[in-house]
Amino acid sequence: MTVDAKDFKQAMRQCAGAVALVTVGAEHGKRTGLTVTSACSLSDSPPSLIVCVNRNASAHTRIREEGAFAINFLNEDHALLALTFSGQKGVNGDDRFAFGQWTRGTTGAPVLTDAVAAFDCVLAQEFETRTHSIFVGEVRDVSHSAMATPLVYLRSNFHTPREMREGVTIGDVDARHLSWTDFS
């Protein structure tokens, strides 16, 4: 049985995702990037992430050519930047970098200086599906801000996780009991 693409997209919109910019290009004039919610940690040994990129995206070919890219997780002040890199503001390619504060990472990839977390990666592996490639990036440099509030995409809108519960520690028996009963 095949699931309808529209139903699939609607269901995925119910799942919150961290908003990130995947950026590529060591040279001005050849930089590009895109907005994703498909980036996540793969391993800490070696430190690596994965990101899914549509093969029609301008960044797709550039990631292969450069062999490096950055994943910049956005903060609450970056909603317009996310829209710009998603193509919804009519700004393309290198012109997108006129917005935001950028530096050149260790690999040469553009890194957003005020990102919640930024991972400068070399392309380690690639897996292809029908429409997307899954890029595995080994992290060569990282920056982060514990004080920044992350930008989250949920139900076709940007949000911030303002109402988060206190952290639960593994050694706290009462907290473990509370957390298991919350989920059962």
Side-chain angles (χ1 to χ4, degrees), residues 17-19 74-79 82 116 149-153 158-161:
V19 182
L74 302 183
N75 74 43
E76 66 184 328
D77 296 328
H78 290 144
V116 169
T149 301
L151 186 65
V152 176
Y153 190 73
F158 295 115
H159 302 273
T160 58

Side-chain angles (χ1 to χ4, degrees), residues 1-164:
M1 179 177 184
T2 303
V3 174
D4 179 68
K6 185 178 178 181
D7 288 340
F8 174 77
K9 289 177 184 177
Q10 190 60 35
M12 286 305 300
R13 288 182 182 125
Q14 307 313 305
C15 304
V19 182
L21 302 180
V22 177
T23 53
V24 60
E27 294 179 42
H28 286 275
K30 292 188 176 184
R31 298 175 301 178
T32 192
L34 70 152
T35 304
V36 302
T37 55
S38 62
C40 66
S41 169
L42 175 62
S43 176
D44 66 353
S45 182
S48 52
L49 292 95
I50 61 172
V51 64
C52 303
V53 177
N54 189 304
R55 287 201 299 270
N56 292 327
S58 61
H60 186 274
T61 301
R62 297 292 300 132
I63 290 170
R64 283 181 168 168
E65 291 171 355
E66 294 274 335
F69 58 94
I71 300 176
N72 306 274
F73 286 92
L74 302 183
N75 74 43
E76 66 184 328
D77 296 328
H78 290 144
L80 288 176
L81 193 58
L83 290 173
T84 299
F85 274 77
S86 72
Q88 294 185 36
K89 293 293 181 185
V91 181
N92 296 309
D94 199 74
D95 293 338
R96 293 175 176 174
F97 294 91
F99 306 92
Q101 299 172 16
W102 299 94
T103 189
R104 187 176 171 151
T106 302
T107 67
V111 174
L112 187 62
T113 60
D114 59 345
V116 169
F119 300 88
D120 190 13
C121 303
V122 295
L123 179 60
Q125 286 183 282
E126 176 184 345
F127 304 93
E128 291 200 21
T129 70
R130 185 178 296 169
T131 59
H132 288 66
S133 291
I134 302 166
F135 293 120
V136 176
E138 284 189 13
V139 179
R140 293 297 184 252
D141 199 10
V142 63
S143 60
H144 58 90
S145 170
M147 301 308 292
T149 301
L151 186 65
V152 176
Y153 190 73
L154 174 66
R155 299 185 177 129
S156 302
N157 288 300
F158 295 115
H159 302 273
T160 58
R162 293 270 183 228
E163 296 180 14
M164 297 188 76

